[in-house]
Amino acid sequence: MPDNELKILVRYHADIPKIGKIDVGDWIDLYAAENAHLEKGEWKLISLGISMKLPAGYEAHVVPRSSTFRRWGVVQANSIGIIDESYCGDGDVWYFQALALRETDILKGDRICQFRIFQKMPPVILEERETLSDPDRGGFGSTGDR
């Protein structure tokens, strides 16, 4: 293994395609490990059928694939899933939080989301101050519409 590669240990809990890095991009696709029927407005945790042990100092960010909404009409209910390195036991199965905006069926083996790993934030010190001494930028959304 080259020095710049990191090892992720994967345990499969379901008969789904094996995950792996694709040639283009940095994200790794994840598969639904079960069939899921959702009615419009319904929320469901969909098993991804895997547990992983991430490298020390890393966390995984799980997001929908670009085609997930178009294909199934679902969004990820919590916008992004963060899985830290401590969620690494055999029973720590990864899930996708689906919120259906229309009636839909997701089938076992469908590629519904993707992940990549990021280094965790280094330790920080939060120091309280009465003033920050820099000029205000103009408030939230201050860069305008165009």
Side-chain angles (χ1 to χ4, degrees), residues 30-32 46 48 64-65 68 72 96 106 110-113:
L30 297 168
Y31 300 87
I46 299 173
L48 299 173
R65 295 179 71 237
T68 298
W72 294 286
F96 179 76
I106 296 171
D110 284 342
R111 293 183 301 155
I112 58 172
C113 58

Side-chain angles (χ1 to χ4, degrees), residues 117-136:
I117 61 172
F118 294 88
Q119 283 191 301
K120 291 171 61 174
M121 183 170 66
V124 297
I125 297 170
L126 300 174
E127 185 176 313
E128 185 175 346
R129 295 289 176 99
E130 291 295 320
T131 181
L132 299 178
S133 71
D134 289 314
D136 291 344

